[in-house]
Amino acid sequence: MKTISVVIPCFNEEENVVPISEAVIEIFNKELPDYDYEIIFIDNDSQDKTRELLRELCGKNPKIKAIFNAKNFGQFKSPYYGLLQVTGDCGILVAADFQDPVEMIPKFVKEILVQFNTHIVPHTLIVRDFSTHSHQRTGHSDKNLLL
């Protein structure tokens, strides 16, 4: 079974980390039952209860992982580092505050399957373009697809 990694950067997201994790899990259970998942939260030194909630989520579900940055590395370095930590066959970057609807995850997976003739290539990455707030294809190689 192929594994899809969902990377969720966060900073002071105590109101969102639990709902976004539940929404991602629900999408996989309902729309992607043939895929396993891992959720990687990367926290940018939150000062609210985000880290406490992430520890609880990780303790309840071994498919949820958290990276706690020692300081705020910003909106570009932190997600990039999170993507470097994925162990799945594919990585998808999703905003913790639901800016990126989780309903897009199955559409991304379908697009990857189309691009690679129904095979997910190991270490495929889908990256959100923060400069335009859209998702677009920026290039690919035999081992990487950046959208």
Side-chain angles (χ1 to χ4, degrees):
M1 178 180 286
K2 296 288 186 180
T3 300
I4 299 176
S5 301
V6 178
V7 177
I8 306 175
C10 49
F11 176 70
N12 293 335
E13 296 286 351
E14 67 184 3
E15 295 178 7
N16 293 319
V17 291
V18 173
I20 193 77
S21 66
E22 291 170 347
V24 169
I25 292 167
E26 183 177 349
I27 284 291
F28 275 91
N29 289 339
K30 289 184 177 178
E31 297 188 39
L32 295 167
D34 295 332
Y35 295 91
D36 200 3
Y37 69 89
E38 82 172 336
I39 300 173
I40 301 174
F41 285 96
I42 182 155
D43 181 74
N44 244 344
D45 196 26
S46 291
Q47 301 302 305
D48 62 359
K49 294 183 181 179
T50 300
R51 290 181 174 215
E52 178 183 327
L53 293 168
L54 291 176
R55 284 184 184 93
E56 290 176 19
L57 288 170
C58 293
K60 293 177 184 175
N61 185 339
K63 296 179 182 185
I64 298 177
K65 301 168 184 164
I67 300 167
F68 298 123
N69 290 337
K71 66 178 191 171
N72 188 333
F73 287 100
Q75 66 178 349
F76 299 107
K77 289 181 182 178
S78 186
Y80 175 72
Y81 181 74
L83 286 168
L84 294 176
Q85 306 311 308
V86 302
T87 60
D89 300 290
C90 170
I92 300 175
L93 187 62
V94 176
D97 61 2
F98 290 90
Q99 282 186 66
D100 305 316
V102 294
E103 294 80 15
M104 293 298 293
I105 294 172
K107 293 176 184 179
F108 287 138
V109 172
K110 182 179 178 184
E111 182 64 24
I112 291 169
L113 295 176
V114 168
Q115 294 292 329
F116 290 99
N117 299 319
T118 71
H119 296 355
I120 290 184
V121 176
H123 307 295
T124 298
L125 299 177
I126 295 178
V127 181
R128 185 163 185 263
D129 182 352
F130 287 98
S131 63
T132 63
H133 296 288
S134 66
H135 297 82
Q136 60 186 359
R137 186 173 176 174
T138 59
H140 75 290
S141 70
D142 290 340
K143 292 189 178 181
N144 295 313
L145 172 67
L146 301 175
L147 295 179

